[in-house]
Amino acid sequence: MEKTEISTVLTRTVVSEFLGTLLLVFFAVGSAVLAGEYIGTFGIALAFGFTMVALAYALGPISGCHFNPAVTLGMLLARRISLRTATEYWIAQVVGAIAGAALLFLVAKQIPGLQTHESFGTNGWGDRSAVHLNLGGAFVAEILMTFLLVYVWLSVTHKVAVIGFNGMAIGLALAAVHLIGVPLDGTSVNPARSIGPALFAGGAAITQLWLFIVAPLIGAAIAAVVHQITHPPHEPVLVADEAMPHEPATGPDDGP
């Protein structure tokens, strides 16, 4: 490819990551901030899943629709993208999340009585957890939930692009982790998604933010390692069929 073509491709992928993360934060986190008391945990989980599916079909073929530094780390460790591309994605995702949170904050401030300080769809443990989950529990939960998301992501994609029904599996995984995670700590599994709202919420949302950056990245790294074991490169995918003993098929009229 010529330099001009490469530059155009990089621009499209970075803009896609910025835009996708912005929209994910505004609509998915917005469902918790603006409509949480009406739709509950189930509705919030569906909002994250549906938004992810829609964006996967819209932007998946362009950038892979990561919108999540943890997913990008998994792709980097799986050697599907370069460190330079990962760095560009990370910057676009964090900036996009902040922009999305800023737009959401603008809308939230137009609603009389809506509390945003130390809340605003942020993540937390202890008194900031609906079930008062402690720090250790939140750390383990975020590792496991991110592991599931990134493992599914790596398993349904062949390289970077998300195509066909890949987006459906990814959206379902994201919805599933939110079903269990929202009552626990608000569900991060995405450092960018946590950073953006926390900057506008302030207080404990900032002081507890480190966990929702570190734990998802650890979960993503573990997922990349496990995926290399279960899905080694250049190996057959349908190993379950190959593992079965080969026996001659018998028809209904065949005797014992």
Side-chain angles (χ1 to χ4, degrees):
M1 296 178 67
E2 297 181 357
K3 289 185 178 180
T4 304
E5 294 177 336
I6 294 175
S7 178
T8 301
V9 170
L10 290 176
T11 300
R12 291 178 64 196
T13 56
V14 170
V15 170
S16 295
E17 286 298 303
F18 167 83
L19 177 62
T21 312
L22 183 157
L23 294 173
L24 181 66
V25 169
F26 183 84
F27 286 99
V29 178
S31 71
V33 174
L34 305 176
E37 63 178 301
Y38 304 105
I39 63 177
T41 297
F42 186 72
I44 294 170
L46 288 183
F48 271 90
F50 286 166
T51 303
M52 189 69 244
V53 170
L55 292 174
Y57 282 101
L59 299 172
I62 301 174
S63 70
C65 66
H66 297 180
F67 317 144
N68 182 342
V71 173
T72 300
L73 177 63
M75 288 287 181
L76 174 64
L77 296 178
R79 299 180 181 179
R80 298 188 187 181
I81 60 175
S82 67
L83 178 59
R84 176 179 175 177
T85 299
T87 302
E88 292 170 344
Y89 274 33
W90 286 328
I91 294 172
Q93 290 158 1
V94 173
V95 175
I98 294 173
L103 292 172
L104 179 59
F105 189 75
L106 177 64
V107 173
K109 283 302 180 182
Q110 311 312 308
I111 302 176
L114 182 64
Q115 175 70 27
T116 58
H117 181 65
E118 294 192 347
S119 55
F120 195 54
T122 56
N123 308 111
W125 68 84
D127 292 339
R128 302 186 67 247
S129 163
V131 296
H132 297 281
L133 184 69
N134 62 23
L135 186 155
F139 200 87
V140 172
E142 284 296 326
I143 289 176
L144 292 174
M145 291 188 295
T146 310
F147 172 88
L148 173 64
L149 178 64
V150 177
Y151 183 79
V152 169
W153 209 300
L154 292 171
S155 299
V156 301
T157 55
H158 295 293
K159 194 172 182 183
V160 178
V162 174
I163 56 177
F165 286 102
N166 296 351
M168 188 66 68
I170 292 169
L172 288 173
L174 186 61
V177 298
H178 277 81
L179 281 172
I180 187 175
V182 168
L184 297 179
D185 60 12
T187 310
S188 172
V189 302
N190 182 342
R193 165 262 182 274
S194 296
I195 291 170
L199 294 179
F200 292 89
I206 295 290
T207 59
Q208 294 187 356
L209 179 60
W210 66 270
L211 185 149
F212 303 102
I213 297 175
V214 175
L217 295 178
I218 293 176
I222 297 173
V225 172
V226 174
H227 181 265
Q228 289 293 312
I229 298 173
T230 59
H231 298 69
H234 313 301
E235 291 292 331
V237 177
L238 301 177
V239 293
D241 291 343
E242 296 184 3
M244 293 298 102
H246 295 286
E247 297 180 355
T250 58
D253 298 328
D254 294 335

